[in-house]
């Protein structure tokens, strides 16, 4: 660029030739003055503007402030020459921040370049949007970027840049992007032939799916299908093979995307993923050719192991993965050790049994002393996750020893994890108390208030522990120097339960007072306030040391600290009242047990791990920490932690609070328990959105006909025809869906998914994942496997989307109704009436009267009635009802989990009234009601069959 502009070349040479900064500044000031003059005079052509703006850019890059050339840069963007436009965009992205007023003048020019047929202009505009990324620009141009991404005429490199630009805008301004509305169209791009486009779009989908999982759930099947094509079928261009590993970056992103969703119930997709993971595991066994091959292979392998753990921790693949991880955590390569420890922590967080991990406990403990701090962090996470009742004492002991030499950046996290593991897996309370007191002594300033709050709660709520805790904390006070947190715990525990040990040698009231008061001069004001609360309780239970305690109150009445002075005055007044006054006894009653609540330590720990770009797919900790990764707000509030109660604890956390428990203190504590919660989380699981069904002229008639017949048309328009052919046996069904392409071009990015509103009652899945392309003028067959597990009401919905010039999508009800799983039964008249009476009336009887239409001759349309009822797989029993117009039928509904349900039917039409009474009796009231609804819809007067 500079070689084409002689003036710019000379300017750069002069700057480089300046021997001191003063000469450089002089040359720049001279040039800037000349540029201002030229811009002021005007009449500059495009070349001159380009040259001067380039000099301004170079000056800015050197670190000098620039206050000229903004309007000229904006004018260059409107130029038709690429070189001038390029300099203009470069100046805009460098010289203007996202809140600059000048950007409003650029928006229309950028939109014009996005609409331009020149792909290079498109790219310059996309670069500018991504680099500046202001909210105003996002609001104005997001739709244009999206249109450029989905346009079939866009070049592949333009699509890649458009996808990454949208990703940038979404990360900065997610509220501006209508992500849910664009879901199907963006996901369809995952079927693109160019893997570079797929990689960029997958990055975008990954980010959005974390916030809109329901809208982007179809990406699950797309990701599985693409992985199968790359890994198993080996369908990928040669240029995307990185050291014999096919597109490792795309593989890693797709494997991670799959972990954002709960394991699917679709056995077909699970089978595909199983084959993919098996292939990855087998490939990982090959000896790497070099470092690059090893890195790419391991990147894919670790993500595959993470997915295998996510899908099923009991699968054989996870067993193989555990053996491989054991090798990785002993590797000489730091990165491999790091990933091995991290993935093994994932396994420990999900596995039912930790035996495979415990075998390598010594290796993991040794990793705490690794030279790399990131490896030490992962070793700490793994030890915490693999901790249980059997090995808790060993692991906690090792962590306490390591705490003495641990990095300061690790200590706070270590303290939290030691405290949580000690509480969670303590086999006896004495070990818990000893361990936590040792932790507070060793960690010192790294011990958060939540740790000693929790100790106080447990001691208060466990009567048999109070004597031991009092003696233990007294012993920890004996050294000349001890941490202030220990003094706080001692103040609370001895104030409440010091009288329990007062008669034991070495723990007399005077010794307790002297030991505790000796630490007071070295403590802060809040701790001294807590100790004053301890002393007033001792006045009540230890009258023999009352003079010494009153003297302390008297001395503190004259301190400068307002909180200490107020407490001392109040406590002095209480202590000097008459001995028979009951006020002191009432004020100093023993603290009641705290309400049973879970610890805030977990919430604090999870908050520390939560600040990452991508959401974690598992929580650090054991299996219990991952049972419900996203609790509702209601559950989170219910499980919030320790309230800092009255007296000492409340005083310590809030020195300004009164010594007794108050409503205000309780409210403040509840707010404290809510700290760290995402208050935007809904209080209940949101209902699944209702899928809008697609209707054409004959949709309802075709659907109703297929409800009592096995084959026919379900949907037809100018582009596609959808046909159905089905067969059922007991609780199982097999439905063939024929997608006919009526166009002269292929349907690309084809996707078909089936959603059942109640998957526990009706299982529907494709035998194979549908191919992403339907050739022109051809028909594609897709087989559905169906299983009825229990009564259901709503038929499944099939969503079909494809590209045919533009993106098309429609939702169709599938004619899979409960009556399809009825098997006809032959009964004699006596047997029928006997069972009819046994079942009885409501609620197991469902009955309805509805209008019917007569045939052309004015007679009851018995042919239609027979056709519908027989089509519902009931066996029509002849010669049972004396009225030949009436129909009596029987059948048995088969369900794999709910068993068999006998069904009896009686249809009684009335020609004169043009009415019909339908009665259904079965051994299940839900079945009776649903069969009645289904048959009534098909038989009533306005039904068009």
């Amino acid at each position: 660029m500079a070689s084409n502009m002689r003036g710019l070349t000379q300017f750069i040479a002069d700057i480089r030739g300046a021997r001191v900064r003063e000469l450089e500044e002089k040359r720049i000031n001279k040039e800037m003055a000349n540029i201002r003059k030229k811009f002021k005079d005007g009449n500059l052509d495009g070349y001159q503007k380009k040259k001067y703006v380039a000099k301004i850019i170079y000056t800015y890059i050197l670190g000098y402030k620039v206050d000229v050339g903004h309007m000229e840069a904006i004018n260059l963007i409107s130029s038709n020459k690429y070189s001038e436009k390029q300099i203009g965009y470069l100046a805009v992205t460098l010289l203007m921040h996202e809140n600059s007023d000048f950007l409003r003048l650029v928006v229309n020019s950028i939109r014009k370049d996005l609409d331009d047929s020149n792909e290079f202009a498109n790219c310059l505009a996309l670069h500018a949007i991504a680099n500046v990324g202001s909210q105003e620009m996002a609001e104005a141009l997001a739709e244009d970027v999206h249109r450029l991404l989905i346009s079939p005429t866009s070049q592949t490199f333009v699509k890649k840049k458009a996808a990454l630009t949208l990703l940038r805008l979404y990360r900065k301004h997610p509220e501006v992007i209508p992500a849910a509305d664009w879901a199907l169209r963006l996901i369809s791009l995952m079927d693109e032939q160019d893997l570079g486009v797929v990689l960029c779009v997958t990055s975008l989908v990954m980010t959005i799916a974390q916030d809109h999982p329901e809208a982007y759930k179809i990406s699950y099947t797309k990701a599985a299908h693409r992985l199968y094509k790359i890994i198993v079928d080996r369908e990928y261009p040669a240029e995307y093979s990185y050291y014999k590993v096919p597109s490792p970056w795309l593989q890693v992103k797709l494997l991670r995307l799959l972990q954002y969703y709960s394991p699917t119930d679709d056995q077909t997709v699970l089978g595909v993923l199983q084959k993919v993971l098996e292939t990855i595991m087998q490939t990982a066994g090959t000896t790497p050719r070099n470092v690059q091959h090893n890195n790419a292979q391991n990147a894919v392998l670790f993500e595959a192991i993470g997915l295998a753990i996510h899908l099923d921790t009991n699968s054989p693949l996870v067993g193989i993965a555990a053996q491989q991880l054991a090798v990785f955590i002993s590797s000489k390569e730091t990165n491999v050790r790091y990933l091995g420890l991290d993935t093994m922590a994932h396994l420990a967080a999900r596995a039912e049994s930790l035996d495979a991990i415990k075998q390598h406990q010594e290796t993991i403990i040794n990793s705490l002393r690794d030279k790399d701090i990131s490896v030490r962090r992962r070793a700490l996470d793994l030890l915490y996750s693999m901790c249980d009742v059997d090995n808790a004492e060993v692991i906690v002991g090792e962590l306490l020893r390591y705490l003495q030499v641990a990095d300061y950046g690790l200590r706070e996290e270590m303290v939290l994890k030691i405290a949580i593991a000690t509480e969670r897996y303590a086999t006896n309370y004495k070990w818990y108390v000893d361990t936590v007191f040792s932790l507070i002594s060793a960690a010192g300033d790294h011990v958060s208030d939540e740790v000693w709050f929790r100790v106080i709660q447990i001691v208060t709520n466990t009567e048999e522990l109070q004597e031991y805790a009092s003696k233990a904390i007294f012993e920890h006070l004996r050294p000349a120097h001890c941490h202030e947190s220990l003094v706080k715990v001692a103040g609370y525990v001895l104030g409440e339960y010091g009288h329990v040990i007062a008669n034991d040698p070495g723990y007399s009231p005077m010794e307790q007072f002297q030991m505790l008061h000796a630490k007071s001069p070295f403590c802060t004001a809040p701790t001294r306030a807590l100790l004053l609360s301890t002393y007033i309780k001792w006045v009540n239970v230890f009258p023999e040391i009352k003079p010494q305690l009153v003297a302390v109150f008297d001395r503190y009445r004259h301190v400068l600290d307002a909180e200490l002075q107020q407490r001392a005055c109040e406590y002095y007044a209480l202590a000097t009242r008459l001995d028979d006054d009951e006020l002191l006894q009432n004020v100093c009653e023993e603290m009641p047990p705290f309400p049973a609540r879970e610890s805030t330590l977990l919430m604090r720990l999870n908050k520390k791990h939560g600040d990452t770009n991508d959401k974690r797919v598992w929580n650090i900790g054991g299996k219990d920490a991952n049972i419900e990764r996203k609790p509702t707000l209601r559950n989170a509030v219910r499980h919030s932690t320790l309230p800092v109660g009255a007296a000492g604890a409340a005083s310590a956390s809030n020195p300004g609070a009164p010594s007794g428990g108050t409503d205000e203190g309780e409210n403040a504590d509840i707010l404290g328990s809510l700290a760290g919660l995402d208050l935007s989380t809904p209080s209940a699981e949101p209902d699944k959105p209702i899928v809008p069904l697609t209707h054409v002229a004959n949709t309802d008639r075709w659907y109703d006909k297929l409800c009592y017949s096995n084959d026919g048309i379900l949907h037809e328009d100018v582009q596609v025809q959808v046909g159905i052919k089905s067969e059922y046996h007991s609780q199982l069904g097999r439905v063939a869906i024929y997608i006919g392409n009526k166009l002269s071009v292929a349907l690309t990015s084809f996707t078909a998914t089936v959603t059942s509103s109640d998957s526990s009652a009706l299982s529907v899945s494709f035998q194979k994942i549908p191919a992403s392309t339907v050739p022109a003028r051809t028909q594609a067959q897709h087989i559905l496997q169906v299983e009825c597990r229990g009564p259901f009401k709503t038929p499944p919905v099939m969503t079909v989307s494809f590209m045919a010039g533009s993106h098309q999508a429609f939702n169709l009800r599938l004619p899979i109704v409960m009556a399809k799983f009825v098997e006809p039964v032959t009964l004699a008249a006596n047997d029928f009436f006997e069972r009819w009476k046994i079942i009885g009336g409501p609620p197991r009887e469902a009955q309805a009267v509805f209008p019917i239409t007569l045939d052309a001759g004015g007679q009851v349309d018995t042919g239609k009635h027979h056709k519908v009822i027989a089509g519902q797989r009931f066996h029509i029993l002849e010669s049972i009802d004396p009225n030949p117009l009436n129909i009596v039928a029987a059948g048995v509904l088969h369900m794999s989990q709910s068993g068999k349900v006998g069904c009896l039917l009686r249809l009684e039409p009335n020609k004169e009234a043009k009415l019909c009474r339908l009665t259904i009796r079965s051994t299940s009231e839900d079945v009776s009601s649903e069969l009645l609804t289904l048959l009534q819809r098909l038989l009533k007067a306005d039904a068009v069959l």
Side-chain angles (χ1 to χ4, degrees), residues 582-609:
E582 296 182 355
L583 177 61
L584 179 62
Q585 296 180 10
N586 294 333
V587 170
C588 297
E589 284 184 356
E590 187 175 306
M591 280 289 295
F594 289 97
R597 293 180 182 177
E598 289 188 6
S599 172
T600 45
L601 300 178
L602 278 172
M603 185 175 66
R604 184 182 179 95
L605 182 63
N606 290 336
K607 186 179 179 181
K608 284 179 68 66
H609 288 293

Side-chain angles (χ1 to χ4, degrees), residues 34 53 57 72 95 152 156 167 202 331 375 397 433 477 515 566 616 618 717 745 763 777 786 914:
N34 179 57
V53 171
I57 293 173
E72 285 70 19
L95 304 181
T156 56
L167 176 59
T202 302
S331 172
V375 174
V433 168
L477 289 179
M515 182 68 72
Q566 180 179 350
R616 294 189 70 93
W618 54 281
D717 56 30
V745 295
S763 170
R777 307 290 186 186
V786 186
K914 295 184 180 180

Side-chain angles (χ1 to χ4, degrees), residues 494-496 498-499 509 536-544 584 588:
L494 294 177
E496 293 292 331
H499 64 278
I536 192 62
K537 292 214 167 192
W538 280 351
V539 169
N540 185 42
V541 296
F542 298 147
E544 61 268 34
L584 179 62
C588 297

